Amino acid sequence: KHPTMKMLLSLIALLSAALLASAAPPTCYSRVLSLSKEITESFKELQTSKDVDSCVETLPRLYLDIHNYCVLAKLRDFVAYPRCDTVLEVNELKEKARSLYTILISYCRRDLVFLTDDCNALEIPIEHSITES
């Protein structure tokens, strides 16, 4: 092969790899799934913790299902909730919820399929979907 042709093919391969790297990663779905489980678990721990501020009882429920379209509104409501700002665990949870929301609406938007829009389903714990993968 001609040296210039070989260099051109190498350049094309490099550019293709760069384009693929900038697209949504193949692990986008698994990242969203694991983050939603992590948030739900943290929320449950917060609810059962004895030494946390009483305002925690008033927080919007955070049982997440990324296949439920209502999860977007649920995350928005939780992040915007005005109380409990002095509780470190709540602020950390709000930060994770904000991250998940951002990932859902931007990076992973085209990878997700919402199977339902049952908002009431997000008010109760989802025990069967929390099991370890």
Side-chain angles (χ1 to χ4, degrees):
K1 286 186 177 176
H2 195 271
T4 311
M5 188 67 165
K6 201 172 192 177
M7 200 162 76
L8 187 61
L9 286 173
S10 296
L11 185 62
I12 290 170
L14 188 66
L15 288 173
S16 298
L19 281 173
L20 284 173
S22 68
T27 59
C28 203
Y29 177 76
S30 60
R31 173 71 184 128
V32 167
L33 194 59
S34 67
L35 187 54
S36 70
K37 285 180 181 180
E38 186 182 321
I39 290 170
T40 299
E41 283 301 313
S42 295
F43 178 74
K44 282 167 57 178
E45 286 170 17
L46 194 60
Q47 293 286 77
T48 57
S49 178
K50 301 286 179 259
D51 46 306
V52 174
D53 196 287
S54 60
C55 74
V56 168
E57 294 170 17
T58 66
L59 286 171
R61 294 182 186 275
L62 207 55
Y63 304 115
L64 304 179
D65 174 6
I66 58 164
H67 302 104
N68 186 334
Y69 187 72
C70 289
V71 75
L72 297 173
K74 178 66 73 177
L75 289 166
R76 270 195 315 268
D77 290 348
F78 187 81
V79 169
Y81 191 71
R83 297 187 60 204
C84 292
D85 284 342
T86 58
V87 181
L88 179 66
E89 294 88 346
V90 173
N91 286 329
E92 289 173 351
L93 202 51
K94 281 185 176 185
E95 201 50 50
K96 284 182 185 177
R98 189 178 291 114
S99 294
L100 179 59
Y101 181 79
T102 302
I103 293 169
L104 285 170
I105 64 164
S106 56
Y107 305 111
C108 295
R109 189 177 68 230
R110 65 181 171 269
D111 295 347
L112 290 179
V113 175
F114 294 111
L115 304 175
T116 180
D117 61 352
D118 180 3
C119 296
N120 289 332
L122 297 180
E123 294 298 315
I124 53 173
I126 318 163
E127 296 300 331
H128 63 278
S129 67
I130 302 301
T131 56
E132 292 298 312
S133 302

